[in-house]
Amino acid sequence: MSVSLEIMLQGERKTFLSQVLQVAVSNNKLELMVVPLLLATFLSGYGLQTKSLSPSGACTALIVGFLTMSGEVRVFGVALIGLYLVGSRATKCLIDGKKRKALLEDGYHDAGYRSGWQVLCNSVSGLVAAFLWNAAFAPTSIQRAITNWISLDITKSLLQLENRVIYNSSSNDWCPLSETPARGWSRALVFACLGHFACCLGDTLASELGILSTSRPRLITTFSKVPPGTNGAMSVGGTVASVIGGGIMGTLVAISLIVENLKCSEGWRGILIESIGWGMFAGGFGSLVDSFLGATVQQTRYATKTKLILQDSSKGDGGDVKVISGWNLLTNNQVNLVSSALCAVVVGWMSGV
């Protein structure tokens, strides 16, 4: 370590930059930050260029992507990239679905053009799970550097563990899905992240594929037929798509762990079955939660003249607008936030029982 760096590290209260530099240089783990930063920059820049992200969305995606992908395990980054690639591909490839959504939903954007708030609502619970895992088990991670900088001990304060459990990607001493290390907290946090991303991917595929259904969807609370695009409405095709989306995410998580960890590869059958099973559960459960919230605490407005479902920010002529369902308590982004967070908590908790 250089003399200038040693001077920076003097004192009881180190600066954030010195914490990061100490972790990266002293442990030869600089690639844990550089590669995720490059990937996050590329993906957010590509999203901005293709107009799937707004400027605020690209900036938020850069920060979220970097903090999710950096760390000792690749599984969190694989889940995030999988959501981005599979979701984007489904949105762009289903031409008939895009045309129909443009005819049914007011203010529909072909490329998405997601804002920073939208990005955060659809990523925060997965980000929290990934951050907590790295801060607790990866002493060479930037997440640990951040918690050290703010004098927060994740292991003792939040997880209430007396002894630290250290994970080293090079030694592969234990599998992150093992039940014994850290009283199952590693397993719970990984499955919580899976629950979040499985819910989000399931919701994306349900939205893109469900709109192609030839029959009208039914409202989850009354089972009455409603116009396609109604919040809280479900179709067989959309529900199946959400379960399949969760299964895809579970497969990605399992393969990532099996490939990168020797201990995980020894029990690959169990990990594959568990991950796919919990992913499918999260996809289906998330679809039910999202639909129930959409039918009750999110209002759906319908323009009778144009025959369009109005978005949260859309304005219609007073006599032309009809309320189909729900109270105007939560926006679509807030519903996504609640449903994905609930999925993360439920899957993380149930997988450890």
Side-chain angles (χ1 to χ4, degrees):
M1 188 180 297
S2 65
V3 176
S4 59
L5 182 57
E6 290 177 344
I7 295 175
M8 289 176 62
L9 298 179
Q10 291 178 353
E12 295 182 358
R13 180 90 174 180
K14 303 180 181 71
T15 65
F16 172 64
L17 180 59
S18 66
Q19 290 278 0
V20 174
L21 289 174
Q22 183 186 36
V23 166
V25 176
S26 63
N27 295 283
N28 295 318
K29 295 289 186 178
L30 194 60
E31 71 275 6
L32 293 180
M33 290 183 286
V34 174
V35 175
L37 181 60
L38 292 176
L39 281 173
T41 302
F42 170 76
L43 292 175
S44 58
Y46 180 77
L48 182 63
Q49 183 181 9
T50 58
K51 295 185 178 180
S52 62
L53 295 172
S54 67
S56 66
C59 291
T60 306
L62 173 62
I63 298 172
V64 170
F66 172 64
L67 290 177
T68 302
M69 290 187 284
S70 60
E72 281 287 342
V73 290
R74 300 183 182 91
V75 63
F76 302 119
V78 169
L80 176 64
I81 295 174
L83 171 65
Y84 180 83
L85 293 180
V86 177
S88 298
R89 183 57 57 184
T91 302
K92 292 183 181 297
C93 288
L94 297 174
I95 298 175
D96 292 339
K98 291 192 292 183
K99 289 181 178 178
R100 194 164 189 211
K101 291 189 85 171
L103 294 174
L104 294 172
E105 298 179 7
D106 179 58
Y108 170 73
H109 291 284
D110 184 19
Y113 206 67
R114 294 175 177 84
S115 65
W117 176 239
Q118 285 177 293
V119 171
L120 192 61
C121 285
N122 287 278
S123 61
V124 66
S125 52
L127 171 63
V128 169
F131 187 95
L132 290 178
W133 193 96
N134 282 288
F137 305 114
T140 60
S141 66
I142 188 173
Q143 292 86 349
R144 174 67 69 83
I146 292 173
T147 55
N148 286 343
W149 180 56
I150 61 176
S151 300
L152 175 63
D153 191 337
I154 297 294
T155 304
K156 294 183 178 180
S157 301
L158 296 181
L159 307 187
Q160 297 183 348
L161 299 173
E162 295 181 0
N163 300 317
R164 291 185 182 275
V165 179
I166 298 176
Y167 179 85
N168 192 323
S169 57
S170 58
S171 61
N172 289 169
D173 295 328
W174 51 278
C175 176
L177 288 186
S178 298
E179 298 180 359
T180 50
R183 300 210 312 266
W185 271 110
S186 171
R187 174 184 172 88
L189 289 172
V190 173
F191 273 126
C193 187
L194 169 60
H196 165 83
F197 286 114
C199 175
C200 292
L201 183 57
D203 180 64
T204 299
L205 296 188
S207 176
E208 300 301 331
L209 295 176
I211 202 72
L212 298 175
S213 178
T214 55
S215 60
R216 297 181 72 183
R218 293 181 180 272
L219 199 64
I220 190 174
T221 50
T222 63
F223 297 102
S224 58
K225 292 184 178 181
V226 290
T230 300
N231 298 312
M234 299 186 71
S235 65
V236 174
T239 304
V240 171
S242 65
V243 175
I244 292 175
I248 292 173
M249 186 57 64
T251 303
L252 291 175
V253 166
I255 292 176
S256 175
L257 288 171
I258 292 169
V259 170
E260 70 174 300
N261 186 282
L262 181 61
K263 289 292 184 181
C264 291
S265 65
E266 293 174 357
W268 66 271
R269 289 184 181 85
I271 288 177
L272 194 62
I273 293 172
E274 272 193 314
S275 297
I276 294 176
W278 283 116
M280 294 176 69
F281 168 79
F285 178 70
S287 179
L288 290 174
V289 172
D290 188 89
S291 296
F292 180 77
L293 293 175
T296 55
V297 294
Q298 180 184 6
Q299 192 174 80
T300 298
R301 297 174 300 142
Y302 182 72
T304 55
K305 289 183 180 180
T306 59
K307 300 186 182 303
L308 292 174
I309 296 293
L310 301 179
Q311 303 294 324
D312 294 328
S313 58
S314 300
K315 294 181 180 180
D317 297 331
D320 176 42
V321 177
K322 173 185 176 183
V323 176
I324 298 178
S325 63
W327 295 290
N328 189 23
L329 299 178
L330 297 180
T331 65
N332 187 62
N333 292 328
Q334 291 166 341
V335 167
N336 291 337
L337 171 63
V338 173
S339 59
S340 61
L342 184 59
C343 267
V345 172
V346 169
V347 173
W349 176 72
M350 290 184 63
S351 62
V353 174

